């Protein structure tokens, strides 16, 4: 996503845990045309990091027009094994840090009539096998930010919220986690990133990628009788 923004000549602040990766992305963004770019290593499992990251971004850029939240914690694609502590940790990274980042950024976004861009998943609309903890964090994102959108509109605060519902994307991590477990074709990550950027620029409430996921969500609601059996047929599980 950073590479697309760089091609548009954007001023960017990046954050991730690994500084070496950030440095490589920064170098490529500069070659692609980023007007300015800065980075700050941060670990979103720490509750104190979100505010520090937003303060850094505002200091470097003078304000924010977009806040794009796209990070996730280590995800296990497996049957529920009873690890409640893992779920707590994942909720901190995948949900609570999103809330904290958005809260810290709202004043500058409101000043600039900006946008919150929340990258979520089909598993935040439809519960699926092997994703108990991950799905819980994505449903939480949908609930919180969809509710917040109502409140901002009612308060006449000009900040848009775009929730991005993605299917299986062909990142290395996603392909490794799902190998042999799903009968689904992964969609290309660069196209997903561009769909997110275009949708948020148009300030739409929801972006579905691939586009047909919107129809899947509608069918899920309208066809409760046989939907579970159909969904489970796309997953491969052998009882131990």
């Amino acid at each position: 996503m950073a590479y697309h923004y760089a091609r548009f000549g954007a001023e960017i602040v990046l954050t991730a845990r690994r500084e070496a990766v950030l440095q490589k992305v920064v170098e490529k963004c500069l070659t692609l045309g980023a007007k300015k770019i800065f980075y700050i290593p941060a670990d979103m499992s720490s509750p104190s990091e979100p505010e520090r990251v937003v303060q850094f971004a505002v200091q470097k850029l003078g304000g924010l027009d977009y806040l794009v939240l796209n990070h996730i914690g280590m995800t296990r694609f497996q049957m529920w094994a009873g690890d409640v502590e893992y779920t707590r940790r994942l909720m901190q990274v995948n949900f609570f840090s999103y809330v904290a980042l958005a809260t810290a950024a709202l004043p500058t976004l409101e000043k600039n009539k900006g946008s919150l861009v929340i990258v979520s998943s089909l598993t935040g609309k439809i519960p699926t096998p092997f994703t108990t903890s991950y799905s819980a964090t994505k449903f939480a994102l949908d609930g919180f930010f969809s509710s917040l959108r109502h409140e901002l509109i009612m308060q006449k605060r000009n900040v848009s919220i775009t929730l991005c519902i993605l299917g299986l994307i062909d990142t290395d991590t996603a392909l490794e986690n799902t190998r042999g477990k799903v009968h689904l074709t992964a969609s290309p990550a660069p196209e997903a990133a561009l769909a997110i950027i275009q949708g948020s620029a148009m300030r739409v409430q929801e972006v579905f990628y691939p586009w047909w996921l919107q129809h899947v969500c509608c069918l899920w609601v309208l066809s409760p009788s046989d939907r579970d059996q159909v969904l489970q047929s796309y997953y491969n599980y052998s009882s131990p």
Side-chain angles (χ1 to χ4, degrees):
M1 207 174 316
Y3 298 150
H4 284 304
Y5 276 118
R7 291 186 184 98
F8 295 139
E11 300 180 0
I12 306 167
V13 171
L14 300 173
T15 187
R17 287 185 298 110
R18 293 173 293 175
E19 185 168 10
V21 173
L22 285 168
Q23 290 173 340
K24 290 180 180 179
V25 175
V26 165
E27 290 174 5
K28 185 168 182 179
C29 284
L30 288 171
T31 65
L32 291 173
K35 187 176 179 181
K36 294 180 184 176
I37 187 162
F38 307 92
Y39 73 86
I40 175 171
D43 184 350
M44 290 301 151
S45 66
S46 170
S48 63
E49 292 287 72
E51 187 171 357
R52 183 175 72 90
V53 167
V54 172
Q55 287 176 347
F56 175 87
V58 172
Q59 177 188 1
K60 292 297 184 182
L61 300 181
L64 297 176
D65 295 314
Y66 290 89
L67 177 65
V68 182
L69 302 180
N70 186 37
H71 57 279
I72 58 171
M74 185 191 72
T75 302
R76 301 172 184 171
F77 196 77
Q78 63 185 34
M79 290 291 185
W80 172 247
D83 192 343
V84 177
E85 186 54 37
Y86 161 73
T87 303
R88 288 196 183 99
R89 292 195 303 270
L90 195 65
M91 191 66 77
Q92 167 59 39
V93 176
N94 289 16
F95 174 63
F96 287 117
S97 71
Y98 278 54
V99 174
L101 286 159
T103 301
L106 267 177
T108 183
L109 289 173
E110 185 175 6
K111 181 180 179 181
N112 294 336
K113 300 178 181 178
S115 300
L116 277 169
V117 186
I118 312 300
V119 179
S120 187
S121 165
L122 181 63
T123 64
K125 293 286 190 182
I126 298 174
T128 62
F130 306 128
T131 64
T132 46
S133 300
Y134 180 79
S135 182
T137 67
K138 296 303 184 180
F139 267 91
L141 286 178
D142 195 331
F144 181 88
F145 285 100
S146 295
S147 179
L148 180 61
R149 184 190 298 116
H150 284 303
E151 295 178 4
L152 293 174
I153 292 170
M154 292 167 69
Q155 296 174 81
K156 295 182 171 54
R157 300 171 68 184
N158 196 357
V159 178
S160 69
I161 296 180
T162 297
L163 190 71
C164 306
I165 296 92
L166 306 185
L168 180 61
I169 305 300
D170 66 353
T171 63
D172 292 341
T173 301
L175 293 177
E176 179 63 28
N177 284 342
T178 59
R179 184 171 292 118
K181 294 181 179 179
V182 299
H183 308 295
L184 297 167
T185 301
S187 299
E191 290 186 15
L194 188 57
I196 291 168
I197 292 171
Q198 290 173 334
S200 59
M202 293 186 291
R203 300 172 79 89
V204 301
Q205 292 191 356
E206 292 185 326
V207 170
F208 290 85
Y209 182 84
W211 62 268
W212 47 262
L213 289 185
Q214 186 169 11
H215 299 292
V216 172
C217 291
C218 290
L219 287 170
W220 181 258
V221 174
L222 296 173
S223 306
S225 58
D226 53 3
R227 64 188 188 184
D228 288 351
Q229 185 176 356
V230 172
L231 184 145
Q232 290 162 21
S233 70
Y234 286 91
Y235 293 80
N236 182 33
Y237 174 70
S238 300
S239 299

